Amino acid sequence: MTQSPPKPTSALSLPDLPGPDTPIRRLRHPGRWLSGIAVILLLAMIGRAFAVGQIQWPVVGEFLTAGVIITGFGWTLLISACALVLGVVLGFVFGIMRHSENPILRFAAWLYVWIFRGTPVLLQLLIWFNIALVFPRLYIPGLVDERMVDVVTPFVAAVLGLGVNEGSYLTEVVRGGIGSVDRGQKEAAHTLGMTPGQTMRRIILPQTLRLILPVLGNSAIGMLKFSSLAATIAMGEMLNAAQRIYFINGAVIELLFVCAVWYLAGTTVLSIGQYYLERYFGRDTAATTRDRRWFKGWARRPAVEGEV
Amino acid sequence: MSLAVKAVGIRKSFGSHEVLKGLDLEVAYGEVLCILGPSGSGKSTFLRCINHLETPNSGYVWIDGAIMGYALHRGALQELPIRQLRAQQSQLGMVFQHFNLFAHRTVLGNVIEGPMVVRGLSRAKAEARAMELLEQVGMAGKASSYPSQLSGGQKQRVAIARSLAMEPRVMLFDEPTSALDPELVGEVLEVMRNLARGGTTMIVVTHEIGFAREVADRVVVMIDGEIRETGAPGQVLSNPGDPRVRSFLSRVLA
């Protein structure tokens, strides 16, 4: 095979051709070096600005491990975990209802999503916190009969507000996940004689779970951060604790930085956990990357996937 | 010979399009029946009506003493609860064109799923039986692989083993080789040939005329939702009476 030379004048004649072991020199990329150096300079400038700015770094270090902050972070973790569990449970219940044969169940699930996805989560938190204004007493015959303010503590309001809101998002995610499990999987289960419940539990949901795992990971990370909203309803989580400290000592930015450090630590751990969880559930297909792509484009994806 | 399956007046429409126009069919135990016909003639829909993956609009299927999906009650067909329908469905093995192996289960996991969940077998018993079946279809060596790691022919052989594990009275095959690369068709047909030789009752929707000629006891040709020709393969394939069947066969045999 001959390759056409760039210019006719520089034509390489056959006797001039080099040997097979002629060394190959890689193309240089001066542009990459330049842009890399520019970015490093920029980062250094930002870093220096904060270092010489009016932040008392020793105070940040001092409060990083203060008892109140650590306790607050504990509450943050607890609220996030409880709300996430509630959200996942609600997401699966209503997501399955969205696929129900019964139009009233489908409508109820749609209504849930419409209301709780359609209003701000901060607003929902405030409503849960003040629910006693609507229902002064919580009365379930034979089970509970108490004043609502005693039942819906700031912690309960935070978990309900964040969890119910998250559930409305996860409902849509689960609905999409179930819809994208190949219809043939269900048919195969039916021909084996599996009941609808068995088919859902043993065939559809495990495959749905694998598909939506990246989204659940994002939910967990988002939840950790959204739990800071609970500071507005007098829940003593980390941000609230930090605020109470800086109202006294005035070290506003220092304490906010302390929070930032802990939130980053938390989200980093969750990201690592997400990676391993996805790898574990992706063991039946080597192509975890394909699932990631599925996640990014799930809204546009047709309901029925091709054969697996 | 005793009857295994009897379909009576099966009609099925999708919207205003009538796919099946009142089909009758009888299959005896031990018989291998091949259903041939051009694309869109309704053969797959007919097969799916037989095991109620599609519910016929009218007509019914009788399977060795019971009507699929219904109980005869005061001269009417009363729909059965879904659990009882599934129990009936499990008496018909189904092999799909696109395999439909459970993607999240290993080969062995696919085969033991039905026996364990539906029949309530212990894991040890189900696995022992599954390994025998996988041996039979030549897939024992891949027991711990996942479906995504198999070729199409291997998937289909596992799917056959999965159906056999339920010990069905009749095996239904819905174009089992149509999704396969040409060089993989042979291994699946070989497994089916062995099943037929072993006396398994089979209804096979297929485009493999050669397989029908060699293995089938009887051949049915469907065109436009009707059975136009039925009889021994030698007679139907070489000397069909119906002109439309003749033109269909001349096209596929050419």
Side-chain angles (χ1 to χ4, degrees):
Chain A
M1 259 220 263
T2 57
Q3 205 151 12
S4 54
K7 289 177 206 158
T9 45
S10 68
L12 204 54
S13 58
L14 283 178
D16 296 337
L17 285 182
D21 298 328
T22 312
I24 294 169
R25 247 179 249 123
R26 297 281 165 210
L27 186 61
R28 297 194 188 287
H29 297 280
R32 289 182 193 171
W33 284 99
L34 280 177
S35 56
I37 290 167
V39 168
I40 288 174
L41 277 177
L42 207 63
L43 284 176
M45 279 159 65
I46 295 173
R48 184 177 172 282
F50 275 98
V52 303
Q54 299 203 0
I55 299 176
Q56 292 169 292
W57 289 104
V59 179
V60 175
E62 183 190 326
F63 279 99
L64 199 57
T65 50
V68 192
I69 294 291
I70 299 290
T71 312
F73 190 54
W75 281 112
T76 292
L77 291 180
L78 189 65
I79 292 173
S80 312
C82 293
L84 188 68
V85 169
L86 179 64
V88 169
V89 169
L90 289 176
F92 271 98
V93 168
F94 285 101
I96 291 169
M97 274 168 68
R98 292 280 299 209
H99 281 274
S100 168
E101 301 275 341
N102 187 336
I104 301 192
L105 292 190
R106 282 204 303 273
F107 172 74
W110 173 86
L111 192 68
Y112 166 67
V113 172
W114 183 63
I115 291 174
F116 288 97
R117 204 177 58 168
T119 53
V121 62
L122 181 56
L123 185 77
Q124 291 174 35
L125 276 173
L126 291 170
I127 290 177
W128 282 112
F129 185 54
N130 294 300
I131 198 82
L133 298 175
V134 193
F135 309 107
R137 288 198 83 82
L138 180 63
Y139 177 63
I140 303 170
L143 270 179
V144 200
D145 182 14
E146 285 194 67
R147 290 195 313 153
M148 193 61 101
V149 277
D150 297 332
V151 180
V152 184
T153 59
F155 174 74
V156 172
V159 169
L160 281 174
L162 294 168
V164 172
N165 179 260
E166 189 64 28
S168 66
Y169 283 93
L170 291 180
T171 296
E172 288 300 279
V173 171
V174 170
R175 180 180 71 99
I178 291 176
S180 62
V181 173
D182 183 27
R183 197 168 57 115
Q185 300 280 311
K186 202 170 159 184
E187 291 186 347
H190 287 175
T191 56
L192 291 179
M194 293 168 78
T195 62
Q198 289 169 336
T199 307
M200 187 54 87
R201 271 198 315 280
R202 302 191 54 95
I203 306 300
I204 307 293
L205 284 187
Q207 297 190 49
T208 306
L209 192 63
R210 187 168 60 80
L211 287 170
I212 69 173
L213 211 58
V215 187
L216 289 184
N218 287 349
S219 283
I221 289 169
M223 189 60 87
L224 190 73
K225 298 182 292 174
F226 281 125
S227 66
S228 62
L229 290 172
T232 57
I233 55 169
M235 178 65 221
E237 46 70 70
M238 184 167 57
L239 184 61
N240 189 279
Q243 286 174 333
R244 275 181 287 139
I245 297 174
Y246 70 61
F247 284 148
I248 296 167
N249 72 359
V252 177
I253 208 72
E254 286 79 2
L255 277 151
L256 291 180
F257 268 57
V258 165
C259 290
V261 169
W262 279 113
Y263 279 121
L264 264 180
T267 52
T268 306
V269 169
L270 286 177
S271 304
I272 296 169
Q274 179 184 15
Y275 171 78
Y276 282 103
L277 217 60
E278 273 177 45
R279 210 172 61 167
Y280 174 76
F281 277 97
R283 68 199 189 282
D284 50 347
T285 47
T288 320
T289 47
R290 214 188 55 191
D291 297 342
R292 284 179 187 279
R293 234 182 292 137
W294 171 87
F295 154 56
K296 278 180 185 152
W298 71 275
R300 276 172 281 119
R301 206 176 170 81
V304 177
E305 215 185 353
E307 45 119 348
V308 179
Chain B
M1 67 177 189
S2 67
L3 272 191
V5 177
K6 181 179 170 71
V8 180
I10 301 289
R11 287 181 184 276
K12 180 71 184 176
S13 301
F14 293 112
S16 60
H17 178 52
E18 189 171 41
V19 183
L20 303 177
K21 299 170 180 167
L23 299 180
D24 298 301
L25 186 73
E26 292 185 353
V27 182
Y29 273 117
E31 194 179 16
V32 175
L33 176 85
C34 281
I35 303 178
L36 307 175
S39 304
S41 58
K43 7 183 236 309
S44 283
T45 307
F46 184 36
L47 199 70
R48 291 165 62 83
C49 278
I50 290 179
N51 70 354
H52 268 234
L53 277 179
E54 307 282 355
T55 313
N57 295 119
S58 66
Y60 60 87
V61 179
W62 174 93
I63 298 199
D64 192 40
I67 292 174
M68 279 293 278
Y70 302 103
L72 191 58
H73 185 68
R74 289 185 195 161
L77 293 175
Q78 169 65 46
E79 250 184 51
L80 287 178
I82 201 112
R83 191 173 281 272
Q84 290 179 39
L85 170 64
R86 295 281 181 266
Q88 290 180 326
Q89 283 177 315
S90 73
Q91 298 182 358
L92 295 172
M94 179 80 168
V95 175
F96 298 89
Q97 181 178 358
H98 293 294
F99 331 124
N100 295 350
L101 290 181
F102 301 134
H104 62 306
R105 294 269 203 276
T106 61
V107 165
L108 185 64
N110 266 276
V111 183
I112 63 173
E113 182 73 15
M116 279 180 65
V117 176
V118 179
R119 297 270 190 266
L121 249 63
S122 71
R123 176 173 290 271
K125 267 189 185 159
E127 281 184 354
R129 174 76 184 126
M131 287 311 292
E132 280 173 31
L133 289 166
L134 287 173
E135 196 74 55
Q136 190 183 330
V137 299
M139 289 298 296
K142 295 274 187 185
S144 55
S145 301
Y146 282 95
S148 58
Q149 298 163 327
L150 305 179
S151 74
Q154 291 175 324
K155 285 184 199 174
Q156 198 59 295
R157 286 187 281 151
V158 173
I160 292 173
R162 177 176 68 175
S163 291
L164 289 174
M166 296 303 287
E167 297 175 344
R169 294 165 190 267
V170 182
M171 284 287 284
L172 310 179
F173 293 83
D174 186 8
E175 304 197 18
T177 57
S178 297
L180 299 179
D181 292 336
E183 78 268 24
L184 302 178
V185 169
E187 60 188 71
V188 172
L189 291 184
E190 184 58 34
V191 168
M192 292 170 62
R193 216 172 272 133
N194 287 336
L195 280 181
R197 265 190 225 119
T200 308
T201 314
M202 294 162 61
I203 304 179
V204 186
V205 168
T206 185
H207 292 292
E208 297 288 333
I209 305 285
F211 176 81
R213 190 194 300 277
E214 181 197 334
V215 180
D217 299 307
R218 201 150 53 93
V219 168
V220 160
V221 181
M222 276 180 68
I223 289 173
D224 281 343
E226 291 172 331
I227 292 178
R228 300 299 284 257
E229 190 87 35
T230 173
Q235 174 220 326
V236 171
L237 294 175
S238 33
N239 193 17
D242 190 293
R244 292 186 65 184
V245 173
R246 209 176 302 142
S247 95
F248 160 68
L249 286 173
S250 69
R251 263 178 288 135
V252 288
L253 291 174

